[in-house]
Each structure stands twice: as structure tokens, then as C-alpha cells.
Amino acid sequence: MTIHERLKEERLRLGLSQDEFAALAGVSKRAQANYEKDRSPQADYLAALDSEGVDTHYVLTGRRSDDPAQPEFETSGLSASSGLSPVAMYDIEAAAGDGRSLEREEVESTLYFPTEQLAAQGLDPAQVVGIKVRGDSMDGTLADGDWVLVDRSSRDPHPEGVFLLLVHGERRIKRVQRVAGGAWLLISDNPRYEKELIKPQDMKDVEILGRCEIRIGRVN
């Protein structure tokens, strides 16, 4: 079966019409019909379906994610044969262990992104993780429940941008701006939140975990 046939099969398994399935992903019925016919699904479309409980692992690989009888697949083989790269997705709220690396946290899901598209954005798939945004502090840029792809190889706050940070053992997503004297200003894009100044002597309590590069969220 092709990915298009598996997508249709998954929709029918859930008992949904094309209209209803399209609504889950925030696309039109026409776009859904094209995905089931010959159009390659986009990453944000698959991420939206995955967050709604659709078995996107099956759609992409033909293997049910909850089937213990299915053998483990080789991710390197999957990437080589399909041009997809696996990206581990973490819930920033659940992944809250003090000072723990993300690799030691529980992966909420794994999504597969076209390797060429990641490379076109200057991203090494081996250095990319997905983080679920929590809270409204970055409203205007990132909404609660959005996913964002984070480049863990980019930990220099220059040029300025939005970063995943470890601040006093707590993971946060903030805009980082360098100011005079070597201090950092942590900025929430939601104006209701105050800016936070990190003085040079307090830098030991702050670590940049990666730069936020690609937002995946529902279209409102």
C-alpha cells in the first residue's frame, strides 16, 4: 500500500469523512482528497493529525505504533528508503527534570520529516528535536500546544532569536537579546510578561539548549 492508501485507510478506520478528517488537520476537503490521491503529506499536516490521535506512524511506515507483534524498524533504513528523518517530540512541561538532557526524558511521539526539507533549512536531522509549547508567554509567535523544531547545534545567542533554555533547572522558550555588559535579556513576546535580565554573574544558571527554527501549529 502507498502512503496515500494508508492515509485513507486510517481515516476510514476512525470512521471519519474527508471533511471531518481535514478539519482535524486544519486543511480543506480538497487538500485531504489530494493527500489520499497523489500529494505528499506535509510535516505540519502530519503533526496536527498526530496530536489528534491519528496513527501517523502507520501512515508513514505501514506499521501500527501500538502493535507489539510488529518488529522494530531500522530508522536508518527508513530514512534511506523513504527520504524521511525521525524527529523525537517532547512535551516541554513533562520534560522538566532538573538539568536532565532531553535524551533522558520520555519521547511523546516520533514524527518523520523530509530530509531534504530539513537540509534546505540548514538543519541536520540528527540535531533536531520537537518541543511542545506550553503557556501563553510567547503568544504572537508560538501558541500553547504548538510544536516547534529546535536545532540543538545552535546554542549561540548571536544572531538573536527564540531559544529553548534551561533557566534554574526549568525549560523555557524565550527570545534572547544580548545587552551591554555581557548580560542577556529574556523576552516573552506576550507583552503581559515582564522581561528578565540575566546578569553575567548569573549565567551559570542559564543554558541555551537550542534555537527554535520551525513552528508547527494549527491555523486559526
Side-chain angles (χ1 to χ4, degrees):
M1 294 179 69
T2 67
I3 187 173
H4 315 290
E5 291 168 330
R6 290 195 296 271
L7 182 63
K8 180 178 180 180
E9 180 189 1
E10 181 66 1
R11 174 175 65 78
L12 295 176
R13 182 184 71 84
L14 296 171
L16 299 175
S17 67
Q18 282 191 337
D19 274 328
E20 293 168 330
F21 204 72
L24 290 180
V27 300
S28 67
K29 179 182 178 180
R30 180 177 180 181
Q32 178 60 37
N34 287 336
Y35 284 137
E36 292 183 14
K37 183 178 179 182
D38 55 15
R39 183 181 174 187
S40 297
Q42 299 297 305
D44 54 350
Y45 167 85
L46 291 172
L49 289 179
D50 188 80
S51 68
E52 295 290 343
V54 175
D55 192 348
T56 55
H57 181 272
Y58 171 71
V59 172
L60 287 166
T61 69
R63 298 180 176 90
R64 290 290 176 190
S65 58
D66 59 353
D67 185 356
Q70 290 285 2
E72 289 295 322
F73 60 88
E74 294 292 335
T75 55
S76 58
L78 177 63
S79 299
S81 63
S82 64
L84 299 173
S85 294
V87 174
M89 312 296 283
Y90 299 90
D91 187 328
I92 193 173
E93 189 172 80
D98 275 4
R100 286 165 55 170
S101 65
L102 283 172
E103 287 80 0
R104 295 175 57 195
E105 303 287 0
E106 183 176 350
V107 176
E108 181 169 304
S109 62
T110 300
L111 296 184
Y112 294 82
F113 294 85
T115 304
E116 287 188 0
Q117 287 188 15
L118 293 177
Q121 298 294 323
L123 300 175
D124 176 0
Q127 295 295 325
V128 175
V129 295
I131 298 294
K132 181 182 282 186
V133 178
R134 293 293 190 175
D136 64 352
S137 69
M138 292 300 290
D139 267 2
T141 302
L142 299 169
D144 182 46
D146 280 352
W147 287 96
V148 60
L149 298 189
V150 177
D151 180 6
R152 294 182 298 171
S153 68
S154 182
R155 301 192 179 200
D156 184 349
H158 182 77
E160 295 165 353
V162 177
F163 292 87
L164 174 65
L165 304 156
L166 191 65
V167 183
H168 303 295
E170 178 186 354
R171 294 188 182 93
R172 303 182 195 172
I173 293 178
K174 298 292 180 186
R175 190 173 299 278
V176 178
Q177 183 178 44
R178 298 199 299 185
V179 295
W184 289 355
L185 201 58
L186 306 187
I187 303 170
S188 299
D189 286 357
N190 185 336
R192 294 196 298 108
Y193 290 81
E194 296 289 333
K195 299 176 181 178
E196 183 177 356
L197 181 67
I198 305 296
K199 299 177 181 179
Q201 60 267 31
D202 298 326
M203 289 294 182
K204 63 182 183 300
D205 297 322
V206 181
E207 179 185 357
I208 291 180
L209 301 179
R211 179 184 292 270
C212 299
E213 295 286 357
I214 299 175
R215 169 186 170 269
I216 303 170
R218 184 176 293 279
V219 177
N220 296 318

